[in-house]
Amino acid sequence: MELSFNFDQEPDSRRLDLTAIAQALPPGAHIYCCGPLPMLAAYEQATAGLPPGCVHMEYFAAKEAAATDGGFVVELARSGKTVQVRAGQTILDSLIAGGVEPPYSCQEGICGTCEVRVMAGIPDHRDLVLSSAEKAANDRIMVCCSGSKTPKLVLDL
Ligand code: FES
């Protein structure tokens, strides 16, 4: 195993050539990256031509703001409860205020702890956990940061 360090804000430093790394991968190889947003943006660009299932990344912070426009209802399929999500609140805020507390941790859409199955409605995905294909399926949501594109979401809670 070989280990090398690259620093891009040091005298005589050179930036890690992510494009060269991505292009040199054998077919079917998986590539992983975690780090700050600018580095992950460069990584996403460098790996754009690879199969999405082979590209993995982990963010340290949210990329976009949580959905807090509100104005929709969340129906909880198991309990039959309905929770109104008001402006300024996330779905998680509204659930907790309504006495329902699903598991959660980061509250930034990066850990996946708060994932809930969507039974009806279209989420406004704001997380960094689900892939583009998973978001397009609209069958799960991170309730800490994502909202709704429809007047009602039915969740498996
Ligand atoms: S609590 Fe981490 S993604 Fe929602």
Side-chain angles (χ1 to χ4, degrees):
M1 175 184 264
E2 181 182 312
L3 180 66
S4 63
F5 295 94
N6 289 267
F7 301 94
D8 65 357
Q9 294 182 350
E10 299 289 327
D12 301 324
S13 63
R14 69 187 164 93
R15 187 170 285 223
L16 182 64
D17 190 347
L18 293 167
T19 302
I21 292 170
Q23 288 174 346
L25 290 173
H30 288 247
I31 183 168
Y32 297 79
C33 184
C34 63
L37 289 177
M39 187 173 108
L40 287 173
Y43 172 79
E44 283 186 72
Q45 191 173 18
T47 58
L50 297 175
C54 293
V55 178
H56 310 275
M57 65 192 92
E58 183 179 328
Y59 289 84
F60 293 162
K63 202 165 152 186
E64 63 182 317
T68 56
D69 290 344
F72 61 95
V73 165
V74 173
E75 186 179 304
L76 311 180
R78 288 191 220 169
S79 66
K81 278 187 171 183
T82 298
V83 173
Q84 179 73 42
V85 181
R86 301 183 197 290
Q89 292 183 311
T90 62
I91 294 174
L92 180 62
D93 294 334
S94 306
L95 291 172
I96 292 171
V100 180
E101 191 164 327
Y104 66 92
S105 180
C106 72
Q107 298 187 66
E108 289 190 73
I110 58 176
C111 75
T113 305
C114 68
E115 181 177 319
V116 175
R117 198 159 69 93
V118 175
M119 302 175 77
I122 300 174
D124 175 6
H125 296 287
R126 302 287 178 96
D127 67 273
L128 294 167
V129 176
L130 300 176
S131 68
S132 299
E134 290 169 334
K135 285 177 180 171
N138 288 323
D139 62 355
R140 46 193 146 151
I141 185 173
M142 301 304 147
V143 294
C144 70
C145 61
S146 297
S148 180
K149 292 181 177 174
T150 48
K152 185 201 273 191
L153 276 182
V154 182
L155 302 182
D156 186 20
L157 284 173

